[in-house]
Amino acid sequence: MIENLLLIFTTSILVSFFVRKNKQLSKAVILTALLVTGILSLTHDPASHYLDALSAFLIAFCLLSSLPLIVYSKESWEKLVLYETIIFSCFLLSFSENFFLFYVLFETIIISSSIAVYNATKESLKAAEKYLIINLLGSTLTMTGIALNFSYTSSLNPTSTTPLLIAILILMGLIVKSALFPFHVWLPDVYSSSSIPTAAVFSGIIINLGFFGIFKYANFIQARPLLLVLAAASMLYAGIRGLTEWDIRKLIAYSSIIHVGYITLGISAAISQAPALLHMFNHGIAKTLMFLSLGLITTRTSFTDLRKLKGYARNIAGACFLISVLAVAGIPPTNCFVSEVAIIVSVLDSGKIIPVAVMLASYLLAMIFYLRIIYFLFFSKGKSKKIIKKYSWKKLLPVLFLTVLVLIFGIFPSALFKFSEAAAGFIPAL
Amino acid sequence: MLWLVIIIPLLASILCLIKEKRIKKNLHLILSASMLLSLLILVLHYPSKPIIETIEWAPDFGLNLAFLVDWLSYPFLAMILLVSGISIYYSKAYLQEQKNKQLYYFLTGLFTVSMIGVVLSVNLITFYLFWDVMLVASYFLVVEWGEEKAREIGLKYFIYMAVASTSLLLGIGLFHASTDSFNLLEAKTAPAIVFLPLMISFLIKQGVFPFHDWLPDTHSVAPTPISAMLSGLMVNVGGYALLRVSSLFPEVMKTYSTTLIIIALISLYLGALMVFRQTHLKKAIAWSTVSQGGMIVFGAGALTLYALKGAGFHLVTQALTKSLLFLVAGVIIYATGTKKIDEIKGLYRKNPILTIAFFASILSLAGTPFFAAFQSEVLIFLGGLNYLAADLLLIFGSLLTLGYCLWFAHSMFFASGKTKFKKIRNEMLTTLIILTGLIIIVGVYPNILMVW
C-alpha cells in the first residue's frame, strides 16, 4: 500500500518536472496525484495498516483544505512540489503506525515548509529562518523525549507509564508547531511575508500538525494542566495583541493563535475530545478560505495595512472573505460556531467555568478586531479604482468551493459531528 | 406547519437578490406580501393551548428546531410580521436615492426572519443562532444605509451586541451543564447563577440602564424604517426573552426580582428625563424607548400573573406605538428637511393624516384609554401591587411619559412659527393610516391580540 502511494508520488513529481514549462499541465499532474493518493489512503484495507476513523478524519481534513489551494496557486513548479510534499507527508503521517515515523514525517514537513516560506524577499528569508530554528529546536526536544521514553519504557510510542518530564519533552515540538503562546513568535512573520497559498497551507494544515501528534500519540492526561495554562495564555495574549495590530495578515495570525488556544482548551479541559477535533477541522477550512479570498481581494496591491485597503472588498471575493471572517468569529450559520459551542458545552460539562470565561473574553476581544477588518475592508470609503470586479473562474472556483463547505458544515453539522465522535473514540488517553 | 412562518419570508428575501426587472421593481411588495402570508398562517395557529412543533435538525448535537406558540409568543409574532411588513412597505419611499436596494431588502427580510426565529425557538442553540443573525443583519443595515456617522456608531452597537451574544453563549453553556439539555421546556429547574448571564444578555438587547448607551445613538442614525424595526421590535425581543425565562422559571427568577425592579425604575426615569434634553428628534424618541423598556423589565421582575401578561402585551403595544412614532418622525424629517426639534414648528395644520397619526402614537405612548398601550400599562400596574412603593414610583414615572409627549406636541405642532413643508409621498401616508388604525383597534378590542 505505502509503496504504491510512494510510487504515485515520485512519478507525479518526475512527470510534472518534465512538463514544468506547461504550468497548467504540471499543476494538473500534481493535483491528480494528490487526489489519488488521498483517496487511496482513505479507502485502503484497514486490516493491513493502521487506518482507523481518526486517521480517516485527519486525511479527509488534509484533502479538503489542501486541494482548493493547489487549484488556486499560480506559482512555480518548485513551490507546487513543496506543497505536494507537505500534503503527501500529512497523509502518511495521518496513518503512521508509530511515533518515530510520525516524527520523521513531521521533520520533513518542517523543512519543506520553511523552504516554501521563502519567496525572494528579505522579510520572508527572516521569517523562514525564524520558523526553521524555533521548530527544529522544539522537535529536537521531542526527539530527546522519544529517546528517553524508549530507554524508559522500551516502546517507541508514548505510553501511560511515560513520566511527566518526558511527556513534556515530547509535547514540546508539537506545542511549538501549534504556535501556542510563548512559542508563537514565528507565526505572524510567516503569515505576513509568505505568498498567499503558502500562508493558506500554514494556517490550514501546518499549524494543526501539533494537534495531529497529540490526538494520535501524545494525549497525556498528566500534562493537561500545563496545556490548559498555555491555552488560556495564548487566547488572552493574542486577543489583546491583536487590538493594536494594523497588518491584516498579522491580525489573521493572532486570530489563528486564539483558535489554537480554543483547540488546546478543548483537548485539555473538555470531557470529550471530539469538539476539539471538530474545531481543528472547521477552523482549518475557514482559515484556508480566509487567506485564499484575501489573496483575490488584494490581487493588484501589495499592501497588507488595513488603512490602505479601505473599501477593497466590495466584490464577490469580498463576500467570500466576509463569510470566512464570520466563521472565524464564530457567528452562525458558519461551521466554527458549531464547534465553538461544542467546546464550551463540553468544558462546562466537566465542571470548569473559569477556562470558559477566559475563552469568552478572548472571543470578545477577537470580535473587536474582526469588526475592524470588516469595517475597513467593506465600509470605509477609499479610492475604489483598484477594486476588481471580475475574476478568472480558476481562482474563484476553489474559493467558492470552500465557502460552500464552511456554510454546509455550519448548517448541517450532524454528519461531521458523528465522524469526529467516531474519530475521537480512537484517541488514546495516556 | 409553523416552519412555514419562517420559510416564506426567508424565501422571499432570497428572491429579492435575483436580478430581474419585474422583481427589481416590486421588491417591497414581494417582501410585504410574504410577511402577510406568514401572518395568515400564524393566525391559523391560534394558541388556545400552547402549540409545540419539533423538527429534528442535527440530533447528535442536541439540535432541533423546537417552535412554541403560546400566549407570549403569538401576539408578539403577529406584531413582528405586521410591523416589519409595514416598515418594508415604507422603505420604498425612504430608499429613493440609495444604492443597493436589492441587498437592503434581502437584509431587512433576513432581519425579520431572525426575529421570528428567536421568538419561536425554545431550543437555546437555535435561539442563539437566530439571535446572532439578527445582530449581523441589523449591523449591516445600520452601517450601510444609515446617516452620517453611522459607521462609528455601528462599531459601538456591534461591541455591545457582541458582549450580549458572548454572555448568552456562556449562559447557554451553563444551562446545558446544569440541566443536560438545550431545551427550555425540558428543564424543570436550574440554579439561579445560570440565569445571570442570560439576563445580562437580554437586558443589553432591551437597552435598559446600565446597558442603554448604544440605543439612542444607534436608533438615531439608522435608516427610518430600520429605526422603527429596531425600536419597535428588536429591542423588545430582549424583553420577550426575559419574559419567557421569567414565566418558565418563576421560582428561580425570584432571586433577581429586586434587581430587575430597580433597573426598571432607573431606566424609566433616566429615559424619560433624558428625552427633555434632546434636540435631535429621533434621538428623543429613542430615549423614550429606554424609558418604556423599564416597564417591560418591571413586569418581568414583579413576576405575578398580571405583571407577566401585562408586560407580554406591552411588547406588542410598544411595537405598534414605537414604530408608528418613528415612521411619523421619518415623515416629519422628510417633509421639513430638518431633524432639530427646535426648528420644527406649527405642523398642526399641514397634513391631517400626519397630525392624527402623531397624536394616536403619543396618546398610546402615554397610556390613554382607547389607545393600545393603555391596557398593558394598567395590567403592569395591577401586577406590581405587591411591590407597592415601586409600583407607585412606576405610576408617577408614566406621568413623565405624558409630560414629554405633551412637550413633543407643544413644540412641534402647536408652537407658532414657519417651517417649510414638502408634499408627503403616498406610501408614507398609507403606512401611517394602517398603523394608526391598528393602534385604535387594539386599544378598543385588546382581546384580538391578547391570549389568556
Side-chain angles (χ1 to χ4, degrees):
Chain A
M1 184 61 217
I2 294 258
E3 54 284 1
N4 287 346
L5 294 183
L6 283 171
L7 193 65
I8 296 172
F9 175 65
T10 36
T11 324
S12 75
I13 288 184
L14 280 178
V15 171
S16 66
F17 174 73
F18 286 118
V19 296
R20 68 185 184 283
K21 291 264 166 58
N22 185 343
K23 268 191 179 173
Q24 298 300 332
L25 192 57
S26 66
K27 191 155 99 179
V29 168
I30 286 176
L31 200 62
T32 336
L34 271 181
L35 197 61
V36 170
T37 46
I39 289 173
L40 272 183
S41 41
L42 262 178
T43 52
H44 80 293
D45 180 20
S48 64
H49 273 285
Y50 192 68
L51 183 87
D52 46 34
L54 179 60
S55 317
F57 189 83
L58 299 179
I59 292 172
F61 165 58
C62 295
L63 252 182
L64 280 182
S65 61
S66 64
L67 288 182
L69 177 152
I70 303 273
V71 177
Y72 178 94
S73 170
K74 260 193 168 179
E75 291 163 294
S76 59
W77 173 79
E78 291 86 351
K79 273 279 173 78
L80 282 179
V81 168
L82 281 173
Y83 297 149
E84 192 191 1
T85 319
I86 293 170
I87 295 156
F88 183 70
S89 315
C90 286
F91 290 156
L92 291 187
L93 164 155
S94 302
F95 63 87
S96 59
E97 280 175 77
N98 63 54
F99 194 53
F100 188 72
L101 183 56
F102 179 94
Y103 172 78
V104 172
L105 291 163
F106 196 71
E107 288 288 270
T108 320
I109 293 172
I110 290 180
I111 291 165
S112 43
S113 59
S114 70
I115 304 170
V117 171
Y118 178 63
N119 56 4
T121 60
K122 238 183 193 175
E123 291 82 30
S124 68
L125 182 61
K126 260 188 186 168
E129 281 173 346
K130 204 175 188 179
Y131 166 68
L132 191 63
I133 291 169
I134 296 176
N135 277 281
L136 283 184
L137 280 177
S139 53
T140 313
L141 290 178
T142 304
M143 187 64 229
T144 323
I146 293 175
L148 285 175
N149 184 44
F150 186 67
S151 68
Y152 195 82
T153 62
S154 67
S155 150
L156 275 179
N157 288 351
T159 60
S160 48
T161 52
T162 307
L164 180 62
L165 200 65
I166 297 178
I168 290 176
L169 277 180
I170 288 178
L171 279 177
M172 217 55 193
L174 305 178
I175 291 175
V176 170
K177 190 67 161 207
S178 308
L180 274 171
F181 166 56
F183 315 107
H184 65 277
V185 284
W186 56 271
L187 190 74
D189 294 348
V190 168
Y191 275 22
S192 66
S193 62
S194 55
S195 69
I196 285 284
T198 313
V201 171
F202 266 87
S203 61
I205 302 176
I206 292 180
I207 197 172
N208 289 328
L209 282 179
F211 297 123
F212 280 33
I214 293 179
F215 284 135
K216 277 190 75 79
Y217 300 106
N219 193 0
F220 299 107
I221 288 171
Q222 43 183 346
R224 281 186 182 172
L226 174 76
L227 283 182
L228 186 58
V229 170
L230 289 185
S234 351
M235 291 189 284
L236 285 182
Y237 169 80
I240 293 166
R241 182 67 184 75
L243 293 180
T244 57
E245 187 59 62
W246 283 104
D247 187 323
I248 183 162
R249 293 221 201 163
K250 287 194 176 169
L251 273 176
I252 299 177
Y254 289 118
S255 125
S256 275
I257 296 172
I258 289 177
H259 278 272
V260 164
Y262 293 169
I263 300 168
T264 317
L265 177 73
I267 291 172
S268 57
I271 283 186
S272 150
Q273 309 277 303
L277 201 56
L278 186 66
H279 192 61
M280 185 192 86
F281 189 105
N282 285 338
H283 168 241
I285 290 199
K287 271 286 152 63
T288 314
L289 169 62
M290 202 169 191
F291 263 114
L292 293 191
S293 50
L294 180 69
L296 283 187
I297 291 169
T298 55
T299 310
R300 285 191 203 155
T301 57
S302 53
F303 310 132
T304 50
D305 193 316
L306 267 184
R307 286 164 290 196
K308 290 181 184 162
L309 287 171
K310 281 181 182 171
Y312 261 67
R314 301 174 77 104
N315 52 19
I316 174 84
C320 297
F321 184 73
L322 182 66
I323 287 176
S324 76
V325 173
L326 292 183
V328 173
I331 288 174
T334 54
N335 56 356
C336 287
F337 162 70
V338 176
S339 41
E340 273 174 27
V341 172
I343 289 180
I344 290 175
V345 168
S346 188
V347 174
L348 280 175
D349 279 349
S350 74
K352 299 191 177 80
I353 293 183
I354 296 170
V356 173
V358 173
M359 175 174 172
L360 289 175
S362 84
Y363 175 86
L364 260 186
L365 287 171
M367 199 68 104
I368 293 171
F369 66 73
Y370 296 136
L371 188 62
R372 200 163 60 191
I373 295 179
I374 293 178
Y375 178 75
F376 276 98
L377 282 181
F378 292 89
F379 293 131
S380 281
K381 294 243 164 73
K383 284 174 194 165
S384 52
K385 276 181 194 165
K386 283 187 180 161
I387 298 175
I388 308 163
K389 288 290 178 196
K390 280 189 179 164
Y391 296 101
S392 74
W393 63 269
K394 275 175 212 154
K395 284 207 158 189
L396 203 52
L397 195 65
V399 174
L400 289 178
F401 173 70
L402 284 169
T403 314
V404 170
L405 276 190
V406 164
L407 289 178
I408 282 186
F409 289 146
I411 298 172
F412 305 106
S414 214
L416 195 64
F417 196 69
K418 256 185 204 160
F419 193 7
S420 76
E421 270 187 338
F426 289 91
I427 296 176
L430 304 175
Chain B
M1 294 289 278
L2 270 177
W3 52 277
L4 278 178
V5 178
I6 291 190
I7 288 294
I8 292 173
L10 186 64
L11 288 181
S13 50
I14 292 170
L15 191 70
C16 287
L17 284 177
I18 297 173
K19 289 192 172 158
E20 211 263 338
K21 228 182 188 176
R22 267 172 296 169
I23 293 179
K24 267 185 175 177
K25 261 188 184 169
N26 299 315
L27 290 166
H28 64 301
L29 285 180
I30 294 173
L31 264 187
S32 305
S34 75
M35 307 279 164
L36 218 60
L37 197 58
S38 281
L39 185 65
L40 279 180
I41 293 168
L42 184 72
V43 171
L44 292 180
H45 288 84
Y46 183 83
S48 8
K49 60 177 196 284
I51 302 172
I52 302 168
E53 185 175 302
T54 315
I55 302 167
E56 288 301 331
W57 183 4
D60 317 287
F61 193 57
L63 204 65
N64 54 10
L65 294 167
F67 296 144
L68 170 69
V69 174
D70 63 354
W71 62 270
L72 184 55
S73 53
Y74 175 80
F76 192 41
L77 270 176
M79 224 15 82
I80 289 178
L81 288 166
L82 262 176
V83 171
S84 312
I86 291 168
S87 306
I88 287 163
Y89 188 74
Y90 181 96
S91 296
K92 171 131 202 283
Y94 184 83
L95 277 184
Q96 287 304 312
E97 287 146 22
Q98 302 258 15
K99 278 187 201 165
N100 286 340
K101 284 182 194 166
Q102 290 188 303
L103 199 59
Y104 171 89
Y105 283 106
F106 169 70
L107 282 172
T108 319
L110 201 63
F111 185 35
T112 315
V113 168
S114 64
M115 286 192 291
I116 300 170
V118 169
V119 174
L120 273 178
S121 304
V122 275
N123 184 309
L124 280 173
I125 291 285
T126 40
F127 182 90
Y128 180 83
L129 201 148
F130 286 119
W131 183 275
D132 253 18
V133 173
M134 187 162 80
L135 157 64
V136 173
S138 59
Y139 169 72
F140 283 117
L141 280 170
V142 170
V143 171
E144 186 65 21
W145 288 273
E147 287 155 22
E148 52 183 333
K149 271 192 168 181
R151 295 191 167 82
E152 288 76 7
I153 286 166
L155 286 180
K156 189 188 201 173
Y157 171 64
F158 193 92
I159 289 169
Y160 263 94
M161 289 303 135
V163 174
S165 294
T166 318
S167 163
L168 181 60
L169 204 54
L170 180 64
I172 292 172
L174 286 174
F175 189 84
H176 187 267
S178 60
T179 64
D180 214 28
S181 158
F182 285 124
N183 197 323
L184 279 176
L185 295 177
E186 279 168 16
K188 293 281 175 293
T189 182
I193 184 76
V194 171
F195 294 106
L196 187 64
L198 290 179
M199 219 173 65
I200 290 175
S201 159
F202 301 153
L203 290 178
I204 293 177
K205 193 63 110 185
Q206 177 71 61
V208 289
F209 177 85
F211 313 109
H212 59 275
D213 195 34
W214 64 272
L215 197 146
D217 290 346
T218 311
H219 287 206
S220 61
V221 297
T224 305
I226 301 304
S227 299
M229 282 168 77
L230 283 176
S231 191
L233 304 174
M234 191 200 81
V235 160
N236 290 341
V237 167
Y240 164 81
L242 191 62
L243 286 172
R244 169 65 76 208
V245 169
S246 299
S247 62
L248 284 178
F249 305 96
E251 294 302 313
V252 189
M253 286 302 280
K254 267 209 175 101
T255 331
Y256 299 114
S257 263
T258 325
T259 325
L260 283 179
I261 285 175
I262 290 171
I263 285 177
L265 287 176
I266 295 178
S267 331
L268 185 72
Y269 279 87
L270 178 79
L273 291 173
M274 286 301 280
V275 172
F276 290 107
R277 297 196 51 197
Q278 304 306 315
T279 51
H280 188 300
L281 178 55
K282 276 167 91 179
K283 221 172 185 169
I285 302 175
W287 273 108
S288 87
T289 305
V290 176
S291 167
Q292 293 298 314
M295 282 279 197
I296 294 161
V297 175
F298 186 90
L303 274 176
T304 54
L305 176 72
Y306 279 146
L308 288 176
K309 296 269 179 187
F313 194 47
H314 204 59
L315 297 174
V316 175
T317 55
Q318 277 308 301
L320 273 178
T321 312
K322 276 289 146 53
S323 48
L324 178 58
L325 199 51
F326 262 108
L327 295 187
V328 166
V331 172
I332 292 176
I333 291 170
Y334 171 83
T336 59
T338 173
K339 293 164 195 159
K340 295 264 165 64
I341 296 178
D342 312 338
E343 292 172 11
I344 304 169
K345 280 184 180 109
L347 294 183
Y348 183 47
R349 288 189 180 283
K350 299 286 187 198
N351 187 319
I353 295 174
L354 178 68
T355 314
I356 292 171
F358 174 77
F359 279 97
S361 65
I362 59 165
L363 287 176
S364 170
L365 190 63
T368 327
F370 305 120
F371 290 93
F374 171 66
Q375 309 282 350
S376 49
E377 281 190 21
V378 168
L379 277 177
I380 295 176
F381 294 150
L382 285 181
L385 280 178
N386 49 347
Y387 298 90
L388 193 62
D391 205 36
L392 289 176
L393 280 173
L394 193 72
I395 292 172
F396 183 71
S398 68
L399 284 182
L400 274 179
T401 314
L402 189 62
Y404 65 69
C405 287
L406 287 180
W407 174 63
F408 279 152
H410 177 79
S411 60
M412 292 195 302
F413 279 74
F414 295 125
S416 56
K418 269 187 187 173
T419 316
K420 61 176 176 173
F421 199 79
K422 226 170 19 175
K423 193 175 172 300
I424 304 172
R425 296 177 63 90
N426 281 336
E427 288 98 342
M428 294 178 165
L429 288 180
T430 323
T431 53
L432 294 190
I433 292 170
I434 296 173
L435 277 174
T436 313
L438 279 174
I439 281 189
I440 294 171
I441 291 172
V442 173
V444 180
Y445 303 109
N447 273 354
I448 59 166
L449 276 174
M450 235 155 111
V451 183
W452 278 92

